[in-house]
Amino acid sequence: MNKCSIAEAMIYQLELTIEDGGLGFHGYGSPLVQIALHLAKRTHAPNIILVAGATYAVNPTPVFLTPTSNDAAMAIGAECTLDITELFDLAASGRMSRMFLSGLQIDGFGHLNVSRLGVDCLSLQLAGGGGGCNLSCDAQHLTLWTAAHRTEIDTQGKRRYR
Amino acid sequence: MYTATDKRCTLSELISHLKTGDCLAIGGGLSCREPMAALRELIRAGISDLTVIGSAHGIDVDMLCGVDVMAVSGESYVGFEHDFGMVVNFRRACEAGQVQARDNCCYTLVQQLRAAIMGLPFMPIRSVQGTSFMALHPEYKPMTCPFTGDKLVLVPALSPDVALLHAHYADNHGNLYIEGAPVADMLFAKAAKKTLVTVEKIISHAELQQKGITIPYFYVTSLCELPFGAHPTSCYPLYAYDRKHTEHYHQCAKQGAASFQADYLQHFVYDCTSHDDYLARVGGESRLSELQNWQHDWLRCYE
């Protein structure tokens, strides 16, 4: 019987949602999405325009994944590179076909919380959503994902969030 | 417009252009090409009450939050991604009310800077509507397009008082060459009232022309030659990200504000008599050589 990790299963499921052609973008801090896009590009979606978050490299062929996204290793083999203005202009004009977002909290309607916990009194400051607030509107097809429900329970019995 | 023929200065002279209460745009992003040496000098200079803006950042903004330097964060993201996760000083400062988090979004920031560059009072965007950002930023205004009837949002021009950048090469005049992802550096330089730059190496104009000019000299107020000025962030292809040092930084920050002050800031910021002294404290020639020779064993950089 074949076995795979939960991360590998998520990568596979994400990869299945990616159609060939169009422009697919992954932001930073999204290694599962990053690998899913590369997997799709190297299998059933060879014509997708893969733009890497942070480096804005187009169709890179990295040989390993770095723990930070704005690393030259992630831009190796790229056909060309965009910049922040051009990438977000493409999205705003309806030319970004695929994007993926996550958040600490996700409700049944697809609302994401990436900013803070606590309305009147701040109890947890989050890192922020990068360009998600723009791309959630501007990307043609959006997939929400989370790995948080699978994180291990820590010694205090609490879930750790990523 | 800055037309001096020789923009070179010392690090302390460079930072003297920055004033308490300024709006500061920090160049680079995440673990790449952030002007860390200049930020350490900014801390030593005792500048405070800064509003700091940018796209996605990490150790740079977090370090400023570890001292009483910032009043407002207008970043789109401050964190260590899947590397070390959430940054500690930023979170602690925001939750204590020391820093007000006024999150921005990447394209909103781009459009605000573009408005400033073009001398326009605002730019429209379609996104942000339906999110909590409209409440967080009452300065954003809804608008109905007179041509299409579409609902849009107007975001005001943003002209930072100072853009602080780190570049690969420059000439004496202030022409800059940046290799790899420019992040928002070109927008910052064109939108800001002053652009202050640390640079790995100052070379002749003829040599710089061969590489290409990323940012023309007249946007640049002053520049200071500072090899490894982005450490511990990367400045590829000259040197890689110093993950070991960043991990040490993160461990110090996790021990609490007082420990961070004593174990990190004191040793790597306040007690440093010069940038060379800092480089000696982070491992000197042998460590810097490892970072420079990343091509030989790139994966070792991430151990």
Side-chain angles (χ1 to χ4, degrees):
Chain A
M1 181 179 161
N2 290 330
K3 289 185 178 177
C4 69
S5 68
I6 290 170
E8 288 167 335
M10 284 197 66
I11 289 165
Y12 176 65
Q13 291 298 325
L14 288 166
E15 183 246 7
L16 291 179
T17 71
I18 298 166
E19 295 180 354
D20 198 13
L23 189 154
F25 177 65
H26 69 76
Y28 40 80
S30 309
L32 301 183
V33 172
Q34 199 171 0
I35 296 172
L37 271 165
H38 280 286
L39 184 60
K41 175 83 177 169
R42 295 174 196 205
T43 55
H44 71 272
N47 298 307
I48 194 166
I49 304 162
L50 194 168
V51 183
T55 62
Y56 302 113
V58 178
N59 299 332
T61 54
V63 293
F64 61 90
L65 198 65
T66 56
T68 66
S69 306
N70 199 348
D71 193 299
M74 294 294 92
I76 281 181
E79 287 191 49
C80 57
T81 55
L82 310 178
D83 62 22
I84 189 171
T85 304
E86 190 169 10
L87 186 277
F88 280 90
D89 281 349
L90 285 164
S93 58
R95 288 181 282 182
M96 179 184 288
S97 52
R98 292 295 285 123
M99 177 60 191
F100 304 80
L101 291 173
S102 187
L104 179 64
Q105 294 176 316
I106 306 174
D107 72 12
F109 297 101
H111 295 110
L112 302 175
N113 183 3
V114 292
S115 302
R116 54 182 286 163
L117 297 187
V119 176
D120 297 322
C121 180
L122 178 63
S123 61
L124 176 61
Q125 176 65 44
L126 303 177
C133 199
N134 305 123
L135 298 178
S136 61
C137 172
D138 290 338
Q140 297 297 300
H141 299 284
L142 185 67
T143 298
L144 306 184
W145 65 281
T146 180
H149 60 293
R150 294 294 187 189
T151 54
E152 293 177 4
I153 293 173
D154 66 16
T155 52
Q156 280 102 42
K158 294 180 180 175
R159 294 279 185 200
R160 293 182 67 246
Y161 294 99
R162 299 172 60 185
Chain B
M1 298 293 214
Y2 296 95
T3 57
T5 52
D6 191 347
K7 306 272 180 65
R8 292 174 299 170
C9 67
T10 65
L11 183 55
S12 60
E13 287 168 343
L14 188 82
I15 292 304
S16 70
H17 289 282
L18 191 61
K19 308 296 180 199
T20 286
D22 273 353
C23 175
L24 171 66
I26 302 177
L30 295 172
S31 65
C32 172
R33 213 173 34 71
E34 287 164 348
M36 296 301 296
L39 295 177
R40 289 186 287 270
E41 180 64 20
L42 179 163
I43 292 170
R44 286 189 290 266
I47 295 163
S48 60
D49 287 326
L50 296 177
T51 292
V52 177
I53 63 151
S55 52
H57 285 256
I59 192 171
D60 53 348
V61 174
D62 189 62
M63 185 173 71
L64 297 185
C65 289
V67 284
D68 197 13
V69 166
M70 283 172 55
V72 178
S73 169
E75 302 287 332
S76 72
Y77 173 92
V78 186
F80 284 133
E81 305 179 82
H82 41 300
D83 199 358
F84 302 113
M86 291 176 73
V87 286
V88 178
N89 291 317
F90 171 71
R91 181 181 161 189
R92 194 157 43 217
C94 291
E95 291 171 10
Q98 176 192 326
V99 170
Q100 184 190 359
R102 300 192 71 230
D103 297 17
N104 209 337
C105 301
C106 294
Y107 196 50
T108 310
L109 177 70
V110 165
Q111 292 295 74
Q112 291 188 267
L113 295 167
R114 272 173 154 173
I117 291 166
M118 289 187 273
L120 293 171
F122 59 81
M123 285 286 277
I125 55 174
R126 189 179 294 103
S127 49
V128 172
Q129 296 176 90
T131 76
S132 305
F133 271 73
M134 293 301 286
L136 185 63
H137 291 278
E139 71 274 22
Y140 298 173
K141 303 297 179 193
M143 174 200 179
T144 301
C145 173
F147 303 107
T148 64
D150 287 352
K151 300 288 185 190
L152 301 171
V153 174
L154 307 183
V155 295
L158 178 55
S159 176
D161 295 303
V162 172
L164 189 55
L165 313 179
H166 184 76
H168 292 75
Y169 298 101
D171 61 20
N172 290 349
H173 208 185
N175 292 298
L176 305 179
Y177 171 73
I178 293 172
E179 190 162 338
V183 199
D185 287 21
M186 288 185 277
L187 293 168
F188 286 155
K190 292 172 185 177
K193 297 177 182 73
K194 296 178 200 167
T195 297
L196 312 178
V197 183
T198 54
V199 60
E200 289 292 321
K201 190 172 184 185
I202 294 176
I203 58 179
S204 71
H205 180 66
E207 285 177 282
L208 196 75
Q209 269 192 317
Q210 298 238 319
K211 295 179 182 297
I213 291 170
T214 314
I215 296 175
Y217 71 91
F218 50 81
Y219 292 114
V220 174
T221 312
S222 286
L223 67 103
C224 173
E225 186 177 63
L226 221 52
F228 284 96
H231 183 277
T233 64
S234 68
C235 190
Y236 284 109
L238 303 177
Y239 50 91
Y241 158 57
D242 193 340
R243 186 167 191 260
K244 282 181 186 166
H245 182 88
T246 307
E247 184 176 22
H248 175 66
Y249 167 96
H250 188 54
Q251 291 302 325
C252 291
K254 280 168 70 176
Q255 302 309 311
S259 294
F260 180 69
Q261 178 84 20
D263 299 338
Y264 188 86
L265 289 175
Q266 199 64 44
H267 186 63
F268 292 110
V269 179
Y270 293 118
D271 288 348
C272 290
T273 54
S274 65
H275 180 57
D276 286 343
D277 185 22
Y278 167 82
L279 295 179
R281 287 166 186 254
V282 299
E285 189 65 34
S286 71
R287 181 57 181 157
L288 300 179
S289 176
E290 285 175 4
L291 297 174
Q292 282 176 311
N293 293 302
W294 53 268
Q295 301 98 325
H296 296 162
D297 196 355
W298 211 347
L299 274 173
R300 273 197 67 193
C301 297
Y302 305 102
E303 288 174 350

